Amino acid sequence: MEFEPKAIVFACNWCSYAGADLAGVSRMQYPTNTRVIRTMCSGRFDPEFVFEAFEKGIDGVLICGCHPGDCHYIEGNLKAEKKVNMTKELLHAVGMDPRRFRLEWVSASEGSKFASLIKEFVDTLKELGPSPLKKDGKGGKSGKDGGSSKQDMDLSRGESLEEEQKIGGD
Amino acid sequence: MEISPEEFVRACYQCGTCSGVCPKARVKSGFLPRKMVYEIITGHTDREIKSGDSWDCLTCGHCQAICPMKVDFLKMVQETRKTGQNGVCKIAHENTLGFYKIMKDSKVTPKKTEFLADDVKTNEDSDVLYFMGCTTYFDIIFKEDVGFEGMGIADNTIRLLNAVGITPAVLDEEKCCGHDQFWRGQNRLFEEFAKQNAKFLKKYKTIVTGCPECYRTLKEEYKALGIDLDVKHISEFLADHKDRLKGKGNGATVTFHDSCRLGRYMNIYDPPRELLDAAGLEIKEMVKSRDEALCCGVSAFVNCDSENKEIRKQKIKDAIETGADILVTPCPKCQIHLKCLQCDESEPEDYNNIKIMDLSTVLMENLEPAQSVDTSKSQPDESGEESDDNDGN
């Protein structure tokens, strides 16, 4: 069976979430491997989101925001860009492939861009294979066959929380 | 409570000398090391944890150095933090420092060597390992905002080793030493790092660190876990090879900040000063130096607040008062904390009258290899270990 990656999309309320909505309303087809989380601004993004998501076994994280200059909060997206660049470098330094993490600008009218973006991102993730941090232990080593079972698709939070408490979360 | 830290503090007779020297007690009313000990001796560990006092502690070790009864304050604070973890603790930059969550997994291998400059010489088969520590990550996080020169520290430490004729090994797979996790009371995470690091650290005869925190952790905390290593701080290591270096004669006045991990914890006061002296720099001591040196204000990024800022201000004021051009600090974290204050634009006073530089950078700028480096093999050396290392190159 082909590897089905799991990815989180953080979409800003004013542009990208509306863009994603437009893609849905216009009945555009795009892969179902992503879960969208709405944030009020892409500037809400915090490096912690990415680290925590990868720790819990996600394969990729995508941040979507308004185009520079269009931000509802004037410069939230530029702040996001700065943080994203730093996080990418950090991910590379700790040994994660920075291609698993992207920032893209999607406006409210770009439904088709959102659909093609998700498709392209999921293709990249399929190419990269499962994240090395995947909880089922198949990650990284076995390449394409890891983690596509039903159990895998629901984000099993209980297990990870237990683990976190054991380690003593910061 | 399963763990009772009181064992290490029984000897206390409540003289209060600790509260007298504590730099935090001076800036925060109600914070008294004596009170902390009292609470624990009288069995109110829970109340003590809830009050959050143990998290306010800077773990600078001043109290322990001066205590007439040799009460183990540091162990007490560490144990209390371990018992009460997830308690009343705020960690500065916590979210950005979350990269530890990925690093702790043994399935990912960090990439460190590719961040090094091109001119540094490394050799995987060497007997000497240079433990880079977290400089790579802190370089990425703090370079832009506070001007921290993380990779400069790593590059210059290797250049200094090269200058005395040693080509150290630098490894990609090295994880964080776990210092910050240990002092935040996250012992499991610390032990996980120690376990992963021990696998390859044991292969090397000597481990050189450029960071006092790594030095202390690898030497003492790892030993407590049963991992016995021969660890040397770069200043200690270079002081043994001083004859292979000579000053460039640039001449400047510097003042040296004894960081707590190097000074009070590990009793290394003279080697860095000897090296600065050999580099032809004039050392002007601060009002408080050596075992009385003032802390830079924060450790392990725990509870950094306005009170800690007062300590940092005092530190920089002390340094400026000496009239020195450069404040030399051996610890990368001290550099981050002190430069952070210099970059603060909301401060009415100006703290930029002094340059803050790392020990290795200052040494590299002011030292050059003496002529004898090429013939270092034939040179009789007091310790056989290091001459072996040269043969390996």
Side-chain angles (χ1 to χ4, degrees):
Chain A
M1 199 163 35
E2 206 197 353
F3 160 62
E4 291 294 338
K6 253 188 305 182
I8 296 187
V9 180
F10 289 98
C12 103
N13 180 52
W14 305 99
C15 296
S16 312
Y17 198 77
D21 195 32
L22 181 64
V25 173
S26 328
R27 304 193 168 211
M28 288 167 192
Q29 296 292 316
Y30 63 88
T32 55
N33 304 55
T34 53
R35 306 286 182 280
V36 181
I37 296 176
R38 181 169 61 161
T39 52
M40 285 312 282
C41 176
S42 52
R44 174 67 183 84
F45 160 74
D46 190 304
E48 176 84 353
F49 294 173
V50 182
F51 301 135
E52 182 120 5
F54 280 128
E55 188 203 13
K56 299 225 151 72
I58 211 87
D59 296 299
V61 179
L62 179 65
I63 314 285
C64 295
C66 309
H67 286 269
D70 292 353
C71 181
H72 190 79
Y73 307 100
I74 301 165
E75 51 179 22
N77 50 1
L78 302 179
K79 286 176 179 161
E81 192 176 22
K82 199 179 161 196
K83 285 187 272 188
V84 164
N85 288 340
M86 185 199 74
T87 312
K88 267 192 181 173
E89 267 191 78
L90 269 177
L91 281 177
H92 177 65
V94 294
M96 288 292 285
D97 197 316
R99 280 177 294 174
R100 292 185 187 278
F101 174 51
R102 267 171 79 174
L103 170 73
E104 290 290 340
W105 310 130
V106 178
S107 84
S109 60
E110 292 175 325
S112 59
K113 183 181 174 184
F114 184 81
S116 61
L117 173 67
I118 297 289
K119 198 169 173 305
E120 188 202 329
F121 188 54
V122 169
D123 284 345
T124 317
L125 292 180
K126 280 186 180 168
E127 208 179 287
L128 290 171
S131 152
L133 298 182
K134 232 179 173 80
K135 292 282 179 219
D136 56 10
K138 288 178 199 161
K141 298 170 262 175
S142 48
K144 305 243 166 189
D145 61 347
S148 61
S149 62
K150 258 190 185 166
Q151 281 172 323
D152 210 63
M153 284 308 284
D154 52 67
L155 301 154
S156 50
R157 218 181 134 72
E159 192 191 288
S160 330
L161 270 178
E162 243 176 60
E163 176 114 356
E164 194 182 36
Q165 271 158 9
K166 262 190 260 159
I167 300 279
D170 0 346
Chain B
M1 306 296 314
E2 299 114 32
I3 310 142
S4 51
E6 55 232 53
E7 304 304 319
F8 330 111
V9 294
R10 279 259 185 253
C12 175
Y13 55 42
Q14 297 283 300
C15 65
T17 317
C18 43
S19 302
V21 294
C22 179
K24 184 86 184 194
R26 230 167 286 163
V27 292
K28 181 169 178 148
S29 62
F31 177 86
L32 300 165
R34 183 196 56 74
K35 199 178 100 197
M36 278 163 75
V37 178
Y38 181 77
E39 292 277 74
I40 285 169
I41 294 177
T42 50
H44 294 110
T45 316
D46 275 336
R47 199 163 72 190
E48 152 64 18
I49 288 169
K50 265 186 210 138
S51 74
D53 277 354
S54 66
W55 294 100
D56 280 334
C57 173
L58 306 168
T59 66
C60 69
H62 223 125
C63 43
Q64 188 160 338
I66 207 150
C67 179
M69 293 309 287
K70 300 280 167 269
V71 167
D72 203 337
F73 282 90
L74 296 172
K75 195 165 181 186
M76 175 187 86
V77 168
Q78 206 279 329
E79 292 277 339
T80 325
R81 287 182 179 180
K82 189 171 86 182
T83 318
Q85 58 174 267
N86 303 327
V88 233
C89 151
K90 297 183 295 290
I91 296 168
H93 315 287
E94 183 182 6
N95 296 358
T96 315
L97 295 174
F99 65 84
Y100 290 113
K101 288 180 179 175
I102 297 181
M103 205 188 356
K104 74 163 191 260
D105 203 297
S106 57
K107 280 174 277 180
V108 292
T109 313
K111 293 181 179 60
K112 291 192 163 181
T113 45
E114 66 184 66
F115 288 90
L116 289 173
D118 298 330
D119 64 321
V120 301
K121 282 180 276 175
T122 58
N123 175 15
E124 290 234 351
D125 303 321
S126 173
D127 284 339
V128 182
L129 173 77
Y130 167 53
F131 192 88
M132 269 171 85
C134 293
T135 44
T136 321
Y137 313 114
F138 289 144
D139 186 83
I140 295 169
I141 299 173
F142 294 107
K143 187 163 66 186
E144 205 177 310
D145 291 336
V146 304
F148 170 63
E149 33 126 24
M151 285 320 289
I153 296 174
D155 289 339
N156 286 321
T157 309
I158 302 178
R159 281 183 198 130
L160 282 168
L161 288 171
N162 290 347
V164 295
I166 283 159
T167 318
V170 181
L171 294 177
D172 268 332
E173 58 257 51
E174 133 196 339
K175 305 269 163 133
C176 173
C177 66
H179 168 277
D180 286 9
Q181 286 67 33
F182 182 76
W183 287 104
R184 283 173 202 156
Q186 301 165 346
N187 282 43
R188 270 176 191 276
L189 194 50
F190 163 68
E191 280 162 27
E192 175 66 32
F193 282 137
K195 201 175 80 190
Q196 291 184 29
N197 280 333
K199 277 183 206 153
F200 62 84
L201 285 179
K202 281 178 181 166
K203 290 182 210 155
Y204 294 89
K205 219 186 233 174
T206 310
I207 295 153
V208 179
T209 77
C211 166
E213 297 187 339
C214 296
Y215 175 58
R216 155 81 189 187
T217 311
L218 295 179
K219 199 161 181 170
E220 299 292 328
E221 261 71 73
Y222 278 29
K223 198 192 267 172
L225 293 176
I227 306 161
D228 227 339
L229 303 164
D230 179 24
V231 192
K232 283 202 164 116
H233 186 253
I234 181 75
S235 61
E236 209 184 352
F237 192 84
L238 288 178
D240 293 343
H241 297 82
K242 228 175 13 185
D243 47 339
R244 296 188 199 164
L245 295 163
K246 64 169 195 232
K248 281 182 188 166
N250 294 345
T253 44
V254 297
T255 180
F256 184 72
H257 162 56
D258 289 282
S259 83
C260 10
R261 266 61 179 167
L262 197 62
R264 278 184 293 268
Y265 279 40
M266 302 305 289
N267 283 317
I268 294 189
Y269 298 111
D270 290 323
R273 289 182 168 80
E274 281 169 23
L275 288 167
L276 289 170
D277 194 43
L281 301 166
E282 190 194 333
I283 307 171
K284 285 189 174 171
E285 295 291 354
M286 277 176 263
V287 188
K288 289 180 172 179
S289 66
R290 300 178 80 94
D291 60 339
E292 288 174 0
L294 189 64
C295 172
C296 71
V298 199
S299 84
F301 295 104
V302 172
N303 277 13
C304 180
D305 53 19
S306 57
E307 288 136 4
N308 296 30
K309 203 169 168 185
E310 293 301 319
I311 302 173
R312 281 185 274 165
K313 282 181 193 168
Q314 189 59 48
K315 181 86 218 178
I316 295 195
K317 269 183 206 158
D318 283 357
I320 292 174
E321 256 175 35
T322 61
D325 309 320
I326 305 166
L327 169 59
V328 182
T329 147
C331 178
K333 296 257 181 68
C334 294
Q335 190 189 126
I336 295 173
H337 301 320
L338 294 173
K339 277 191 175 169
C340 170
L341 175 66
Q342 287 193 327
C343 295
D344 194 343
E345 282 163 9
S346 66
E347 275 307 312
E349 273 183 82
D350 189 18
Y351 294 96
N352 287 304
N353 296 336
I354 194 159
K355 227 169 135 186
I356 300 170
M357 282 170 94
D358 189 77
L359 178 66
S360 58
T361 312
V362 172
L363 289 179
M364 195 58 218
E365 278 179 13
N366 293 290
L367 282 172
E368 58 187 352
Q371 297 299 315
S372 58
V373 167
D374 299 327
T375 56
S376 57
K377 272 183 200 172
S378 57
Q379 234 180 23
D381 209 328
E382 57 273 24
S383 53
E385 208 173 74
E386 275 79 44
S387 30
D388 283 352
D389 301 333
N390 296 333
D391 297 336
N393 302 330

